[in-house]
Amino acid sequence: DVLVTPTAIGGKAKVVTADITADNGVIHEIDKVIATRSLLSDTIAGKACDPALAATVGTLCAAVRSSTTVEVALSDVTGSFTVFAPNNAAFDALATKLDLSQATDLLPLPELPDILLKHTLGSKVLAATALTLDNSVQPTLHTDDEEKIVVDGSTGEVLVTPTA
């Protein structure tokens, strides 16, 4: 038997049917889904997809999962991040602005990974720290180094705006 671990529901996945050949490789049928890091740990990608948060950030979960680049970045257990996470209403408003029927219509947009990465800092900034910032320009994980955001806590609320 060939066993693969870990799985999303626990235990090891067993190869049920081996060596299903294809022109470009081989398939081994297994009896369980192999877990990603986001399912195994309390990463940002995993937390965004917590069923208890679906009513507030369920669209964020779908957006993260629609982009391998973003899901891998936010599943990195060695990283330290801060995500200014758009809630479901924010995604709905963006869909409306773009004349889309619903927020899930945003998922195939090629710009979505960069939009999500622009909401992500490569460091952990707790709210108490953010409240001490006064129009602080912060780099994001966006692929363009010039894409930064301004974090301002000087009003007693944390406000986030783009620099460009």
Side-chain angles (χ1 to χ4, degrees):
D1 289 349
V2 177
L3 300 175
V4 181
T5 188
T7 66
I9 58 172
K12 296 181 179 185
K14 181 179 180 181
V15 174
V16 179
T17 306
D19 297 332
I20 303 168
T21 58
D23 288 343
N24 63 341
V26 64
I27 297 170
H28 302 299
E29 175 192 350
I30 60 176
D31 63 352
K32 294 181 181 146
V33 175
I34 299 170
T36 62
R37 286 186 182 179
S38 63
L39 287 174
L40 295 175
S41 63
D42 201 20
T43 64
I44 290 175
K47 191 61 94 174
C49 294
D50 184 332
L53 300 174
T56 57
V57 293
T59 306
L60 175 66
C61 172
V64 167
R65 287 185 172 166
S66 75
S67 168
T68 302
T69 300
V70 175
E71 184 171 24
V72 167
L74 298 182
S75 296
D76 181 358
V77 296
T78 65
S80 184
F81 308 104
T82 300
V83 175
F84 294 100
N87 60 24
N88 294 343
F91 278 111
D92 290 341
L94 178 59
T96 299
K97 182 178 174 89
L98 297 176
D99 293 324
L100 299 172
S101 300
Q102 54 193 4
T104 54
D105 292 340
L106 295 165
L107 301 181
L109 294 179
E111 302 87 358
L112 186 61
D114 279 340
I115 290 170
L116 295 172
L117 293 175
K118 186 160 182 172
H119 287 75
T120 307
L121 306 181
S123 61
K124 184 176 180 180
V125 181
L126 296 174
T129 302
L131 283 166
T132 68
L133 300 176
D134 187 0
N135 290 311
S136 176
V137 176
Q138 298 288 319
T140 68
L141 295 186
H142 188 282
T143 55
D144 181 349
D145 288 338
E146 297 301 313
E147 292 285 344
K148 297 177 172 43
I149 58 175
V150 176
V151 181
D152 182 22
S154 65
T155 64
E157 296 179 310
V158 177
L159 302 174
V160 183
T161 55
T163 58

